[in-house]
Amino acid sequence: MSEPKERAHRTVQVLPGIHRWHVSDDRIGGVQSDAYAVVAEDGAVTLIDPLPIDEKALRKLGRVEAIVLTAGNHQRAAWHLRKVFGAPVWAPQDAYGLEDTPDATYAGGDNLPGGLVAYHTPGPAESMYSLWMERPRSVIFLSDLLTHVEKGTPRFVDNQYQDAPGRTRMSIQRILDHLPIEVLCFAHGEPILKDGASALRRALAEDTEAPAPSEPL
């Protein structure tokens, strides 16, 4: 899938060391798509699922030293920015649809650039990962598990756009069971900066499209 046509011109700080930018994504009907940059204490910058952006805006953050994709369908502007900054692209093992060859691959539990830890969260796709970081606060980048393009409780993507909707719900529950989540960062929509675990619980409790128990996961 080619990258969106719109290009952002600035980033916004989400938390100290975490910056975000977004575009209206023509590939998915103009829905908001979001990308992030993690800035380490030494100034190294790691881009997460990067969208097109004025390169000067990224240079202001520091040295772009790595690009991490959460899934094959989130390559976005990764290959262009790899050429610009000479930064290696990390992609999940068995990611499908990649338009170029990543420099490194990863699996669940792997430590990634920027202090990120890969957490396997299948459902929207088999090879889909959320990225967790403990500092500055317990933050998780949720890829396509949930969206937050409207105010209120995060929503699951419509079942028709997921490979296994039941597994998506299970992935959210596993995050709640195993990770101390405070901040939620979405691939589509506004971050939630406090009490993220409660927002995940509400998403499960208010979900009206969960597959019946008899349906395959």
Side-chain angles (χ1 to χ4, degrees), residues 17-63:
I18 300 177
H19 299 258
R20 164 180 165 261
W21 70 99
H22 63 88
V23 302
S24 176
D25 199 330
D26 60 283
R27 306 169 306 162
I28 51 175
V31 172
Q32 177 177 311
S33 289
D34 294 74
Y36 297 86
V38 173
V39 184
E41 291 183 358
D42 65 359
V45 177
T46 299
L47 307 181
I48 299 173
D49 294 343
L51 292 156
I53 185 171
D54 186 335
E55 293 140 19
K56 293 179 181 178
L58 295 181
R59 295 186 191 279
K60 289 180 180 179
L61 300 179
R63 309 181 311 275

Side-chain angles (χ1 to χ4, degrees), residues 59-82:
R59 295 186 191 279
K60 289 180 180 179
L61 300 179
R63 309 181 311 275
V64 177
E65 295 197 354
I67 299 168
V68 179
L69 306 182
T70 59
N73 65 316
H74 278 188
Q75 54 197 314
R76 298 168 164 181
W79 311 117
H80 169 72
L81 293 173
R82 177 170 70 174

